[in-house]
Amino acid sequence: MNKEQINDIIGWDIVNWSKSFSFWDKHLDVKDKNFKCLELGARQGGLSLWLALNNNQVVCSDVSYTDQQHELDKTIALHKKYNCDNKISYEAIDASNIPYENHFDIVVFKSVLGGVSIGSEKRLEQKAIDSIYKSLKPGGKVVFIENLEGSFLHMYARKKFVGWGSKWHYIKLNELIGLFSKYEDLKFKTVGFLGAFGKTEGQRNFLGHVDTVLEKIAPKSYRYIMIGIAKK
């Protein structure tokens, strides 16, 4: 993939979050497989674009597509930019109640679990992961990048400077690992420490390059991104 494609797929904090590709490439081959795929919480459908560029069929879903036509229009425009829209269909799917069973080879999501419980009186992260499990074919895989709680500095900064930081549920590393207990296998790595503190994309990218070195000494529990693949 070229730089423009990576930028369009990842969208923000690109240096740290795009580290997912090198990890996934080690453990998963999606090239020319014609997999049946689902992206949850897609927003502008970056991971749907990644899968379609690799010649797979994708259901790109986000609950906003029901009543926010402008969000769906931006998503479709991105996919048309790369002539991938013929490989992608669009649905509004609740991640905690996926209306498919034993259907998908691959389910993907990026920064979704922390938001599934917003507006609910219950924590729905486990329900979402179990719903993904049900939707996958035997041997199918969920491929994801998710925000972690990180260090106390991350949590303080989010509450202080991020408008929705107190509503989003930033998950502890061990908690997130535990959500996949039903799966046959989970492979993961954690990345990022300073990148989360950048106020602009330029700052985040600079700090992301610093993180590439810092990750060698920063404790896993202090990092704010988990990249993973879990097999049903």
Side-chain angles (χ1 to χ4, degrees):
M1 291 181 293
N2 60 43
K3 184 176 180 180
E4 183 178 10
Q5 289 172 333
I6 291 172
N7 289 351
D8 282 341
I9 291 168
I10 297 300
W12 77 86
D13 197 0
I14 292 163
V15 171
N16 272 329
W17 288 73
S18 67
K19 293 171 184 175
S20 54
F21 295 123
S22 60
F23 179 79
W24 292 338
D25 286 345
K26 290 180 181 178
H27 303 289
L28 179 70
D29 181 11
V30 297
K31 182 69 174 177
D32 298 325
K33 300 298 183 182
N34 199 32
F35 282 146
K36 290 182 178 179
C37 306
L38 168 66
E39 181 180 7
L40 294 167
R43 299 183 69 185
Q44 293 186 29
L47 293 181
S48 293
L49 174 60
W50 168 62
L51 289 165
L53 285 170
N54 282 285
N55 294 315
N56 298 287
Q57 299 298 317
V58 190
V59 175
C60 177
S61 75
D62 194 283
V63 292
S64 70
Y65 297 165
T66 57
D67 58 2
Q68 299 180 42
Q69 185 63 39
H70 64 284
E71 291 292 344
L72 179 55
D73 290 343
K74 286 190 292 185
T75 305
I76 294 172
L78 174 64
H79 298 156
K80 284 185 175 180
K81 174 182 175 181
Y82 292 97
N83 299 313
C84 286
D85 51 307
N86 63 323
K87 299 181 183 300
I88 303 172
S89 60
Y90 303 90
E91 296 184 28
I93 295 176
D94 178 353
S96 66
N97 189 22
I98 302 170
Y100 292 90
E101 187 169 355
N102 298 322
H103 185 81
F104 295 108
D105 299 288
I106 301 288
V107 175
V108 297
F109 65 84
K110 174 178 178 281
S111 186
V112 166
L113 292 179
V116 294
S117 298
I118 293 177
S120 172
E121 295 180 357
K122 299 179 180 179
R123 297 249 64 91
L124 298 176
E125 293 86 358
Q126 187 66 67
K127 189 175 180 181
I129 294 300
D130 291 345
S131 187
I132 292 170
Y133 185 92
K134 182 192 74 171
S135 74
L136 286 167
K137 296 177 181 178
K141 295 178 179 180
V142 52
V143 179
F144 64 93
I145 333 170
E146 187 58 50
N147 288 290
L148 292 172
E149 182 181 81
S151 69
F152 71 94
L153 291 174
H154 291 101
M155 294 306 296
Y156 174 80
R158 287 160 178 158
K159 290 178 181 178
K160 186 76 173 177
F161 302 111
V162 180
W164 41 263
S166 59
K167 297 180 181 179
W168 195 269
H169 179 53
Y170 290 95
I171 305 174
K172 293 181 173 65
L173 176 59
N174 288 339
E175 179 186 358
L176 186 48
I177 293 170
L179 295 178
F180 293 92
S181 60
K182 184 184 291 187
Y183 288 70
E184 178 182 317
D185 181 58
L186 171 66
K187 295 181 174 65
F188 72 92
K189 70 178 294 186
T190 58
V191 300
F193 182 80
L194 293 175
F197 300 106
K199 293 183 178 181
T200 66
E201 189 59 27
Q203 290 177 359
R204 287 188 285 270
N205 284 346
F206 172 77
L207 294 172
H209 288 297
V210 177
D211 280 340
T212 303
V213 177
L214 191 61
E215 284 159 13
K216 297 176 182 179
I217 58 173
K220 289 182 180 180
S221 61
Y222 281 18
R223 303 171 195 171
Y224 68 96
I225 302 168
M226 179 175 174
I227 303 164
I229 300 176
K231 179 181 178 181
K232 179 175 178 177

